[in-house]
Amino acid sequence: MAKMWAGRTDGVTEKIADDFNSSIHFDSRMASQDIQGSMAHAAMLAAKGIISNDEADTLIVGLEAILNDLISGDLKIDLTCEDIHMFIEQELTSRLGDVGKKLHTARSRNDQVALDIRMYLREETDEISCLVKKLIAAVVNQAEKNKGVIMPGYTHLQRAQPITFGHHLMAYAFMLLRDLDRLSDTRKRMNISPIGCCALAGTTYDTDRYFEAEKLGFDGICLNSLDGVSDRDFVAELGSALSILMMHLSRFSEEIILWSSWEFKFIELSDAYTTGSSIMPQKKNPDMAELVRGKTGRVYGNLMSILTVLKGLPLAYNKDMQEDKEGIFDTCDTVKMCLKVLTGMISTLTVCEDNMKAAAGKGFINATDLADYLVKKGLPFRTAYKISGEIVAQCIKENKILETLTLAEYKKHSNLFEEDLYSEISLEACVAKRISKGGTSVKSVEEQIEAVKEKIK
Ligand code: ARG
């Protein structure tokens, strides 16, 4: 069959060329946005007297019927069409006759596709933001339950200072808050309407771009028509914001994997979020967390792909830009799945409090507090640091810990040590004393929890 654009050529193409050129198998997910855009366009054409009110009404009712039939399944998408824009126009014209052919006045597929993808990604951005909020709520909820649970805090993956599990979890809540912020910032630049830019140069018709933009919920219009049809910054920006989000989810997953290993056993994942091995009967594997970590790779890949597609393109529209969709669609699908899985995993995990506490007791993670004890008794920090280090070395040699060394042994290192040193270096005291803003004390973590709750309200 000859193409809708037959004229300059006979519109007959090889099947392999059609298959290569076609985008309908992935852009059909923008059907609803395409129809909404067309309805606004028809309304604008009538408002400006370019078509009659009756014609606009017929178009709008016809478009609405197509949308309903697509939703109900009565209308199947014709995959032999080049893209979703062509399919809907073809369907409209076959239902309405000549009136259908008027819809494409003062419009091009170039501004149409730019519009559709902005509208589609705007919805995705909102949905993802909602899911991020749900994950934050799950993290905060666990943090609240575990604000008094002591664990080792690490640097270089070496035990460093005692913290609480609640404090550790809240670090992720703040990362995710920044992700929310990035998404809302991305949305601002995305939410500018390209419709009316037409093919590239604007149009000779007296259109009203603000009318369409407002009808479709945009905050403004692209003020240069060449830029309007060739801007895909928002695809790269969303891909970038979501890559950073995935980087956070991946770090979190990495910790979940470590914590659920026998070497740590800080947490136990719910059976519902683990798998078994086909050969090793004892296994309980954190596959879901590993997949979140693994899928981060494809999200990064999609970002690289769009940046590379765009980098050499002359103005204005080029068919290369059709390559903008599959990657970002895949990114959005992947991120949504990861967020949902991680939210379930976090909400259902159990904390092995005793193991955390035991690990915190073994690594001399109160040595800083021992040094601080001497500082409070008048020693300069560097001197106190050296003495504490020597005490740790002695403990390691004699297989002791700071808590079991006798006062007499302490006094060999410094006369400043008194009986009160033991209460000063208990893990509970080490945590409770860290009352600085953002610190690990229960009070500081409670403040963090309140601040985050306020933000996601
Ligand atoms: N399927 C195309 C895309 O996704 C729509 C725009 C086509 N425009 C054109 N002049 N061929 O980019």
Side-chain angles (χ1 to χ4, degrees), residues 316-343:
Y317 178 82
N318 298 271
K319 188 75 171 195
D320 313 46
M321 292 167 84
Q322 182 166 288
E323 291 292 313
D324 62 352
K325 289 173 209 65
E326 283 164 292
I328 195 70
F329 290 168
D330 176 65
T331 288
C332 292
D333 293 347
T334 304
V335 167
K336 285 190 286 184
M337 256 193 317
C338 291
L339 286 167
K340 285 181 198 164
V341 166
L342 213 50
T343 303

Side-chain angles (χ1 to χ4, degrees), residues 109-295:
R109 266 189 301 160
N110 297 349
D111 58 345
Q112 202 178 342
V113 71
L115 174 78
D116 293 0
I117 187 157
R118 281 183 194 251
M119 287 173 64
Y120 182 87
L121 292 181
R122 180 173 74 180
E123 284 172 34
E124 291 291 294
T125 305
D126 291 344
E127 207 181 317
I128 291 170
S129 299
C130 217
L131 291 172
V132 174
K133 279 191 188 171
K134 283 189 183 156
L135 176 57
I136 296 177
V139 170
V140 167
N141 189 36
Q142 278 291 8
E144 210 154 22
K145 284 196 259 174
N146 292 287
K147 62 187 176 193
V149 173
I150 292 175
M151 69 180 277
Y154 296 83
T155 63
H156 313 268
L157 206 56
Q158 303 287 321
R159 290 170 187 156
Q161 289 179 348
I163 57 169
T164 66
F165 189 49
H167 188 216
H168 196 119
L169 287 173
M170 283 311 292
Y172 285 100
F174 283 100
M175 294 180 216
L176 293 166
L177 266 192
R178 289 196 296 277
D179 291 316
L180 268 186
D181 219 41
R182 261 184 290 274
L183 286 170
S184 102
D185 205 47
T186 302
R187 194 189 192 284
K188 278 184 217 151
R189 279 175 293 277
M190 184 186 290
N191 205 31
I192 301 294
S193 168
I195 190 75
C197 291
C198 301
L200 73 162
T203 180
T204 53
Y205 296 94
D206 178 24
T207 53
D208 185 349
R209 294 190 52 208
Y210 288 102
F211 177 101
E212 290 172 303
E214 200 183 312
K215 249 195 168 357
L216 296 169
F218 284 96
D219 297 325
I221 64 168
C222 308
L223 286 171
N224 178 293
S225 62
L226 293 168
D227 181 43
V229 289
S230 43
D231 171 23
R232 294 292 184 276
D233 289 5
F234 55 93
V235 178
E237 241 186 292
L238 181 61
S240 153
L242 294 179
S243 290
I244 298 175
L245 167 62
M246 284 302 292
M247 178 265 286
H248 292 151
L249 302 190
S250 186
R251 291 180 78 170
F252 204 174
S253 298
E254 168 66 14
E255 299 219 88
I256 289 169
I257 295 161
L258 279 176
W259 292 336
S260 43
S261 70
W262 280 108
E263 281 67 21
F264 278 80
K265 260 291 164 261
F266 284 1
I267 59 166
E268 175 88 29
L269 290 178
S270 149
D271 290 358
Y273 288 93
T274 53
T275 59
S277 155
S278 55
I279 168 169
M280 297 167 279
Q282 84 284 10
K283 290 298 283 290
K284 180 172 172 183
N285 295 329
D287 287 35
M288 319 301 150
E290 294 166 71
L291 272 175
V292 171
R293 190 177 60 184
K295 283 174 189 293

